[in-house]
Amino acid sequence: MNPEGRIASVSAALLLGDASSRMGRDKAQLPLEGVAVATRLATTLGGLFEEVLLVGGDPPRDAPGRPVPDPEGPRCALRGLVGALEAATAERILVVATDLMLLSPPLLLALMAWPEADAVVPRTGAKAHPLCALYRREPVLGVARRRLAAGELALVGLLDEVRVSFLEGPDLHAVDPDGSALFNANTPEEFERLQERLQNPVH
């Protein structure tokens, strides 16, 4: 850690993406408790990590971090992952998406404490969450670039080609007991449910 207590050995990247057709507007700009989602998430990351990258999209002016453009290629999360891995200064990069609007420090810290692999990924049941994961640049970037160039855009396919360690079961439940940190909001209805979670937290 650096003198301020923030982690320097891992970079953090927030994938902003573009305007969401399902949400009907840019998710990064949505107000959540009076703060844009991207600003809220970037502030959480900035409290933990010395380097925060804001990848793609149009970050709010008050979002802390360094803006990074998406590389060339089709609009997809894999393109954002390539951009994050290329721009980060650390060898390990924690990559999260703006869909995960209730992301919490305990989950992020647990990913870093988990046994190292090319990718450390939360998994609920059979569902992996590659957009809340810790990646190692050297083994992952080449695979990600090749798959992007070939149009093989599914992130779960990328996980099949690298060494993965899954945070799951009781270990995941201990740091995200109500599943809020991995709750995806991609539609207005899901965003409304997310706001209800904030107003009525599960104890």
Side-chain angles (χ1 to χ4, degrees):
M1 288 194 178
N2 68 8
E4 296 179 354
R6 293 184 298 163
I7 297 162
S9 59
V10 174
S11 296
L14 178 62
L15 305 190
L16 300 176
D18 297 299
S20 167
S21 57
R22 286 194 289 166
M23 184 66 74
R25 57 184 293 194
D26 186 353
K27 285 178 285 189
Q29 305 284 348
L30 286 172
L32 191 59
E33 294 189 321
V35 180
V37 164
T39 300
R40 180 187 175 102
L41 289 170
T43 301
T44 296
L45 295 174
L48 297 173
F49 301 96
E50 186 174 313
E51 178 173 71
V52 176
L53 307 173
L54 307 173
V55 183
D58 183 21
R61 290 183 179 180
D62 60 346
R66 172 162 61 94
V68 173
D70 276 323
E72 293 297 320
R75 289 171 54 176
C76 61
L78 179 61
R79 183 176 70 164
L81 175 61
V82 170
L85 297 178
E86 289 178 339
T89 58
E91 171 58 22
R92 292 197 299 162
I93 300 96
L94 183 72
V95 176
V96 299
T98 50
D99 307 47
L100 303 172
M101 299 177 186
L102 300 181
L103 203 57
S104 64
L107 174 58
L108 304 181
L109 294 171
L111 290 172
M112 290 187 295
W114 203 241
E116 289 191 25
D118 299 340
V120 181
V121 184
R123 183 165 62 183
T124 50
K127 178 178 174 57
H129 298 267
L131 290 179
C132 177
L134 183 63
Y135 293 94
R136 187 173 292 281
R137 181 213 312 276
E138 189 63 32
V140 176
L141 182 54
V143 176
R145 281 173 171 162
R146 175 176 52 76
R147 292 183 63 88
L148 183 63
E152 299 170 349
L153 307 180
L155 284 176
V156 290
L158 179 141
L159 296 182
D160 290 337
E161 294 194 44
V162 299
R163 188 169 54 95
V164 183
S165 178
F166 289 107
L167 174 63
E168 58 187 339
D171 298 298
L172 177 58
H173 181 77
V175 294
D176 186 25
D178 63 357
S180 289
L182 291 172
F183 181 81
N184 282 268
N186 290 301
T187 67
E189 294 75 21
E190 289 170 346
F191 186 62
E192 184 176 339
R193 288 203 298 273
L194 181 143
Q195 292 176 302
E196 290 172 357
R197 278 179 178 241
L198 278 176
Q199 294 167 4
N200 303 288
V202 177
H203 297 290

